[in-house]
Amino acid sequence: MALQIISHPSPNYDARPEAQPIDMVVLHYTGMKSGAAALARLCEETAKVSAHYLIEEDGKIYQMVDEENRAWHAGLSSWGGKHGVNSRSIGIEIVNTGHEWGYTDFLEPQIDAVIALLTDIKARRGIKPSMVLGHSDVAPERKEDPGEKFPWDRLARQGLAVGTFQGGYDAAGDNMLSYFEAIQSLKDIGYHVLDASQAGDGSIIGGHSASVLAFQRRFCPAALGQGLSPMTKAAIEWAKRKMV
Ligand SMILES: [Zn+2]
């Protein structure tokens, strides 16, 4: 069945840099009270934001920017050491109130539409499952969308994305990655990790926490907020093998 896509153009885009292949999809939630309000804002010239697509709760798909052009969805962002992911990505906004307004579950018809659209994009562009990411993955210090409720495993079952960690792990934390190995592995996966600094007592502070949270939302929501716990470290090792 052909995809039903409703054209709803936004003026908020520019040209992609030349010789920049499209090799990534970034998923967002809208984080507004209604889909209509989000669609209006993404098409309002003064807002200077947009995405290629928006998917309503009932599964309706709107296209705002042609894929060949660069939509303005990710802002300051990086992945795998490369900054500015708008240049290489397709941005999809998924209507959801987000953490600020009560963070409801994503709805079945909506996720069916996400899968249909991603299937179409993958067929046309050959985007690897490991390159279908969340906004918080590419901007961990600023963003938390699409968040820990997003059903990555449904996408994974269709071969469209890497799913979440389901494996066993040693709760005692023996034979685990060291702090430095875990941080290096997060960087190897693609995350931007702020440098740690030494506290007065010689311990290591700060830096990595935003990236660890983003990682947990995306790959290990059961460990969200637990820091570099044994489950998180096991998930990092697992994800590093998957994200190639
Ligand atoms: Zn976003």
Side-chain angles (χ1 to χ4, degrees):
M1 197 183 78
L3 269 184
Q4 301 270 354
I5 295 182
I6 304 162
S7 179
H8 196 286
S10 169
N12 302 328
Y13 67 87
D14 57 5
R16 292 185 191 271
E18 265 178 68
Q20 177 68 65
I22 297 169
D23 66 351
M24 178 189 286
V25 173
V26 179
L27 302 184
H28 304 255
Y29 66 45
T30 49
M32 292 180 71
K33 283 182 176 170
S34 78
L39 191 61
R41 178 171 153 74
L42 292 164
C43 295
E44 191 183 287
E45 199 164 358
T46 53
K48 302 275 180 221
V49 290
S50 64
H52 294 92
Y53 299 98
L54 176 140
I55 302 184
E56 266 285 7
E57 290 176 310
D58 63 4
K60 278 199 195 76
I61 303 172
Y62 294 88
Q63 181 160 20
M64 294 169 281
V65 175
D66 190 285
E67 288 180 13
E68 294 304 321
N69 288 320
R70 176 167 63 181
W72 301 337
H73 54 97
L76 282 178
S77 53
S78 78
W79 188 251
K82 291 188 192 146
H83 292 275
V85 307
N86 283 346
S87 294
R88 62 193 289 197
S89 65
I90 292 171
I92 302 176
E93 288 279 356
I94 302 164
V95 172
N96 184 286
T97 50
H99 293 85
E100 198 175 345
W101 305 103
Y103 198 27
T104 50
D105 287 334
F106 293 90
L107 300 180
E108 289 293 308
Q110 186 177 39
I111 299 304
D112 290 343
V114 172
I115 287 172
L117 178 58
L118 286 176
T119 301
D120 181 72
I121 291 170
K122 186 182 178 188
R124 288 185 286 106
R125 301 197 178 272
I127 303 220
K128 294 193 295 185
S130 59
M131 292 299 271
V132 177
L133 299 162
H135 195 185
S136 56
D137 296 314
V138 299
E141 284 92 27
R142 299 187 302 116
K143 294 291 174 179
E144 51 189 13
D145 63 309
E148 61 277 10
K149 289 188 176 187
F150 188 77
W152 291 102
D153 292 319
R154 282 203 57 200
L155 275 52
R157 283 198 284 277
Q158 306 296 322
L160 297 169
V162 173
T164 63
F165 175 66
Q166 306 290 335
Y169 64 98
D170 179 358
D174 296 334
N175 306 313
M176 285 268 153
L177 298 177
S178 69
Y179 169 83
F180 291 103
E181 287 166 340
I183 296 303
Q184 185 57 49
S185 296
L186 283 175
K187 292 179 180 175
D188 293 343
I189 290 167
Y191 286 95
H192 174 252
V193 186
L194 286 176
D195 287 333
S197 52
Q198 299 284 119
D201 61 0
S203 63
I204 299 155
I205 53 165
H208 65 279
S209 55
S211 312
V212 172
L213 276 174
F215 172 84
Q216 288 165 336
R217 286 187 207 288
R218 172 64 183 79
F219 293 103
C220 191
L224 184 61
Q226 294 176 5
L228 285 169
S229 63
M231 188 197 281
T232 303
K233 286 184 174 179
I236 290 172
E237 273 196 291
W238 169 86
K240 190 178 159 180
R241 289 196 302 274
K242 290 278 188 178
M243 293 293 283
V244 288

